[in-house]
């Protein structure tokens, strides 16, 4: 355990802020919003040492405390080069969401800021958990505040959207719980003691058929969260009905829980199943890329268009993960971060004009570039980022994913002589073109042409608060696009280990802390009657 439990502080600081805000009167809305921003900024500041200190394949900033040790349930957290990036992304986006929601949330402000701070702790906890029981607790804890954020502050069909979100997520999560319990009991059967420790469960070696069932259970839970075609249908409804801050958190952070689950658990734990399922997963990813893009093209609602674009963009991430080489997986991890910047910024930008016009229908706009030129420039940068313009963040991730996908197809061709696998990267590349079509078409219809609608002619340009909200996202878009190496260096070792584990080239050594080792030794000692306990 580290001398100072930095990771524990980062994880639970938002909840501490929420507890403080419980004692603020609900009428003091400015104080509640300001307090939430301060709590989230302190969390971000506390997380910065992780970015500069955590890199490579090994877990660092590890904190551990005994909990229910007899069952192998302990508080055990740590970060490597992959999870660190997602933790910092979470702490970076949360204060931006609070500041962006300053005018978006007008009722029950106290409940909203407290729920969002609790959600931040749950998200960070899921990214850092190194005990599967602890991970499952944080995973489920995320569901409650997000359910309430959509259900209380959402649109007219919010109850339908929340029920759909809840049912989809719960079904997948319960199957994952069954798989986790099976792994823990199998560990008890083979080694004499039950454990949910992440490292120790790598000692299990299941046959292919068992791996396939366990992989399917984990994969369904994570695929729903991604969301991967065909279990994606909850996402557009949730995005459309959620308030702007809910949509931003959902797109920027929560969807990454699914892809992170694959890279942290489903892929390294079951390498034989991953090899068998990879072609199917890649096909589903490509279907998602093209389907999401085509459906986005015909959406009349800007928010729904961006929601379907997420289905397409996360399809690229899934394609990268199951290409199973370092280039593609590195691109997938980077694209997880990129999507948080670009799509989060898109929802914030749509929220800016929604606050002025209270409509998101594309047909209600036109010619806004002449009316609100600063917003037009900001929106253009974000649009180009989402498309993947070279020099902006989206290009780097998509390029690495496609490069790795072609490399995978070439390796398959060398083994089998079949050109079929080249269809996957070729079709995926068409998604880049389709993204340019639907994003530029939306931008052209909203920003250019005659400004005929009288309601648009009095619109005010972005104010200082809105510029402050967008500025760090735009800086990040250019920074990652022009100089991605600081992020790549931090994830390289962890990505290499995941690829080796997922392809069966290495099995992680079980990292058993002294308390667990001592407990196991005690259990294996012969009792007075000469039998093993």
């Amino acid at each position: 355990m580290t001398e100072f439990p930095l990771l524990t502080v980062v994880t639970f600081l938002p909840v501490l802020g929420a507890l403080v805000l419980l004692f603020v009167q609900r009428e003091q809305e400015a104080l509640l919003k300001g307090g939430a921003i301060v709590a989230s900024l302190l969390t971000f500041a506390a997380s910065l040492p992780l970015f500069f200190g955590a890199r490579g394949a090994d877990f660092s900033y590890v904190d551990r405390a005994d909990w229910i040790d007899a069952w192998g349930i302990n508080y055990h957290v740590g970060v490597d080069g992959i999870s660190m990036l997602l933790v910092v992304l979470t702490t970076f986006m949360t204060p931006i969401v609070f500041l962006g929601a300053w005018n978006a949330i007008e009722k029950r402000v106290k409940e909203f800021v407290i729920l969002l701070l609790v959600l931040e702790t749950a998200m960070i906890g899921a990214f850092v958990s190194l005990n599967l029981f602890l991970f499952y607790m944080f995973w489920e804890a995320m569901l409650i505040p997000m359910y309430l954020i959509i259900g209380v502050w959402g649109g007219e069909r919010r109850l339908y959207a929340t029920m759909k979100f809840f049912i989809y997520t719960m079904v997948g999560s319960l199957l994952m719980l069954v798989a986790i319990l099976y792994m823990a009991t199998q560990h008890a059967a083979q080694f004499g003691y039950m454990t949910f420790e992440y490292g120790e469960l790598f000692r299990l070696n299941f046959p292919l058929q068992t791996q396939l069932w366990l992989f399917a259970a984990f994969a369904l839970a994570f695929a729903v969260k991604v969301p991967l075609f065909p279990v994606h249908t909850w996402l557009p409804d949730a995005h459309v009905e959620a308030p702007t801050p809910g949509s931003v958190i959902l797109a920027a952070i929560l969807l990454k829980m699914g892809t992170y689950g694959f890279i942290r658990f489903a892929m390294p734990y079951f390498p034989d199943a991953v090899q068998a399922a990879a072609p199917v997963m890649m096909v589903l990813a490509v279907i998602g890329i093209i389907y999401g893009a085509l459906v986005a093209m015909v959406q009349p609602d800007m928010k729904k268009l961006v929601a379907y674009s997420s289905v397409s963009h996360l399809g690229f991430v899934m394609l990268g993960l199951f290409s199973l080489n370092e280039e593609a997986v590195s691109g997938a991890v980077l694209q997880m971060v990129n999507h948080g910047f670009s799509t989060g910024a898109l929802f914030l930008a749509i929220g800016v004009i929604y606050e002025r016009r209270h409509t998101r229908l594309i047909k209600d706009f036109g010619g806004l570039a002449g009316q609100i030129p600063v917003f037009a420039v900001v929106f253009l940068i974000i649009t180009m980022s989402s498309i993947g313009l070279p020099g902006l963040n989206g290009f780097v991730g998509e390029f690495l994913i496609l490069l790795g996908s072609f490399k995978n197809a070439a390796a398959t061709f060398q083994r089998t002589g079949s050109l079929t696998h080249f269809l996957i990267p070729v079709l995926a590349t068409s998604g880049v073109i389709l993204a340019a079509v639907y994003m530029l078409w939306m931008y052209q219809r909203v920003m250019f042409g005659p400004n005929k609608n009288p309601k648009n002619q009095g619109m005010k340009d972005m104010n200082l608060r809105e510029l402050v909200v967008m500025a760090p996202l735009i800086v990040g878009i250019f920074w990652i696009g022009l100089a991605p190496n600081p992020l790549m260096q931090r994830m390289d070792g962890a990505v290499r280990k995941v690829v080796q584990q997922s392809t069966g080239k290495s099995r992680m050594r079980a990292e058993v802390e002294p308390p667990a080792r001592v407990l196991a030794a005690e259990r294996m000692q012969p009792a007075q009657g000469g039998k093993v306990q």
Side-chain angles (χ1 to χ4, degrees):
M1 189 170 182
T2 56
E3 292 184 3
F4 179 75
L6 177 63
L7 197 54
T8 297
V9 171
V10 172
T11 303
F12 292 100
L13 193 55
V15 161
L16 180 61
L19 290 174
V20 173
L21 293 179
L22 279 174
F23 297 97
V24 178
Q25 294 181 353
R26 63 178 65 252
E27 293 79 13
Q28 297 178 293
E29 295 184 357
L31 181 59
L32 288 165
K33 294 175 181 178
I37 292 173
V38 169
S40 59
L41 283 173
L42 289 174
T43 306
F44 174 61
S47 71
L48 287 178
L50 303 179
F51 182 80
F52 295 103
R55 64 174 67 200
D58 297 327
F59 292 106
S60 54
Y61 298 96
V62 175
D63 294 334
R64 175 171 177 148
D66 292 340
W67 188 5
I68 313 175
D69 209 29
W71 296 349
I73 298 172
N74 297 298
Y75 175 78
H76 190 186
V77 296
V79 290
D80 63 359
I82 295 172
S83 55
M84 175 275 296
L85 292 177
L86 297 173
V87 169
V88 176
L89 175 66
T90 303
T91 61
F92 173 79
M93 289 299 301
T94 305
I96 291 175
V97 170
F98 275 122
L99 188 58
W102 192 273
N103 294 328
I105 302 300
E106 298 177 344
K107 65 176 183 178
R108 298 181 179 176
V109 173
K110 182 175 182 177
E111 290 84 350
F112 176 82
V113 297
I114 288 174
L115 283 172
L116 198 51
L117 287 171
V118 171
L119 178 59
E120 183 180 11
T121 283
M123 293 187 296
I124 296 172
F127 285 134
V128 303
S129 294
L130 296 180
N131 183 286
L132 266 68
F133 186 87
L134 183 67
F135 168 77
Y136 186 79
M137 286 190 63
F138 280 121
W139 178 271
E140 291 296 271
M142 291 185 295
L143 182 61
I144 300 169
M146 196 66 215
Y147 175 90
L148 293 173
I149 286 171
I150 300 174
V152 175
W153 292 273
E156 293 181 359
R157 299 177 71 245
R158 59 186 181 274
L159 295 180
Y160 169 78
T162 51
M163 288 303 297
K164 197 172 183 179
F165 166 69
F166 188 88
I167 291 171
Y168 268 69
T169 305
M170 280 298 296
V171 169
S173 298
L174 289 174
L175 290 175
M176 179 174 66
L177 177 61
V178 172
I180 291 172
L181 292 172
Y182 179 82
M183 293 173 68
T185 54
Q186 285 299 303
H187 191 281
Q190 293 184 34
F191 300 103
Y193 63 99
M194 183 177 290
T195 185
F196 292 88
E197 288 294 299
Y198 176 72
E200 287 197 56
L201 291 175
F202 276 95
R203 301 170 67 185
L204 296 170
N205 190 11
F206 295 112
L208 175 59
Q209 193 66 31
T210 305
Q211 283 195 34
L212 286 171
W213 282 108
L214 292 172
F215 174 79
F218 276 91
L220 180 60
F222 299 142
V224 169
K225 195 75 90 175
V226 170
L228 179 67
F229 178 92
V231 290
H232 66 283
T233 57
W234 65 269
L235 180 66
D237 294 309
H239 266 315
V240 170
E241 300 305 323
T244 297
S247 294
V248 176
I249 285 292
L250 186 60
I253 311 298
L254 275 180
L255 301 188
K256 312 308 177 298
M257 292 295 168
T259 50
Y260 175 76
F262 275 106
I263 201 170
R264 175 63 72 226
F265 301 104
M267 292 170 58
Y269 271 148
F270 315 113
D272 297 335
V274 168
Q275 295 288 322
V280 175
M281 300 300 289
M282 294 172 73
V283 168
L284 292 176
V286 171
I287 292 174
I289 291 170
I290 297 174
Y291 167 83
L294 290 175
V295 177
M297 288 173 61
V298 299
Q299 293 306 313
D301 186 314
M302 286 187 287
K303 211 173 184 185
K304 206 161 191 177
L305 184 150
V306 177
Y308 276 107
S309 79
S310 289
V311 176
S312 184
H313 288 145
L314 271 299
F316 274 105
V317 175
M318 292 298 295
L319 175 63
L321 292 181
F322 283 91
S323 294
L324 299 177
N325 55 59
E326 291 183 29
E327 293 88 349
V329 176
S330 295
V333 175
L334 187 62
Q335 198 65 2
M336 289 158 67
V337 178
N338 291 336
H339 184 265
F341 277 82
S342 302
T343 308
L346 277 172
F347 279 117
L348 284 168
I350 293 171
V352 168
I353 55 177
Y354 180 78
E355 287 181 12
R356 288 157 171 75
R357 288 280 285 105
H358 298 288
T359 179
R360 296 185 300 263
L361 295 179
I362 296 174
K363 67 180 181 62
D364 291 336
F365 298 100
L368 295 187
Q371 187 69 36
I372 45 176
V374 175
F375 176 82
V377 173
V378 170
F379 198 28
L380 179 62
I381 294 171
I382 300 167
T383 299
M384 292 301 176
S385 165
S386 185
I387 291 172
L389 183 73
L392 302 180
N393 62 335
F395 173 76
V396 186
E398 288 184 355
F399 175 79
L400 288 173
I401 289 169
L402 291 173
L403 176 65
S405 180
F406 274 104
K407 181 179 178 180
N408 176 274
T412 304
F413 173 72
Q414 289 180 346
R415 293 195 309 269
T416 65
S418 172
L419 292 171
T420 306
H421 269 67
F422 280 102
L423 283 174
I424 290 176
V426 169
L427 291 173
T429 305
S430 69
V432 179
I433 301 170
L434 293 173
V437 172
Y438 65 75
M439 290 302 297
L440 291 177
W441 193 26
M442 176 189 70
Y443 188 85
Q444 181 267 328
R445 287 181 288 170
V446 172
M447 290 296 161
F448 298 123
N451 188 351
K452 296 180 179 180
N453 193 330
K455 296 180 180 179
N456 296 331
Q457 295 172 3
M459 287 182 64
K460 294 181 180 180
D461 214 335
M462 298 180 73
N463 56 39
L464 180 61
R465 177 186 60 83
E466 293 164 341
L467 288 172
V468 170
V469 168
M470 289 296 187
L473 294 172
I474 292 175
V475 169
I477 285 170
F478 279 104
W479 174 46
I480 298 174
L482 297 173
N485 207 40
L487 274 66
M488 302 297 295
Q489 289 176 339
R490 284 164 171 78
M491 74 171 78
D492 276 347
V495 166
R496 190 175 302 113
K497 175 183 277 189
V498 168
V499 171
Q500 290 173 351
Q501 292 168 346
S502 304
T503 54
K505 294 179 181 178
S506 76
R507 298 290 287 171
M508 176 186 283
R509 179 180 59 84
E511 299 175 357
V512 185
E513 296 290 333
R517 187 186 296 119
V518 171
L519 179 63
E522 290 176 351
R523 287 178 172 172
M524 298 302 291
Q525 289 294 326
Q528 292 182 352
K531 297 180 181 180
V532 177
Q533 289 180 345

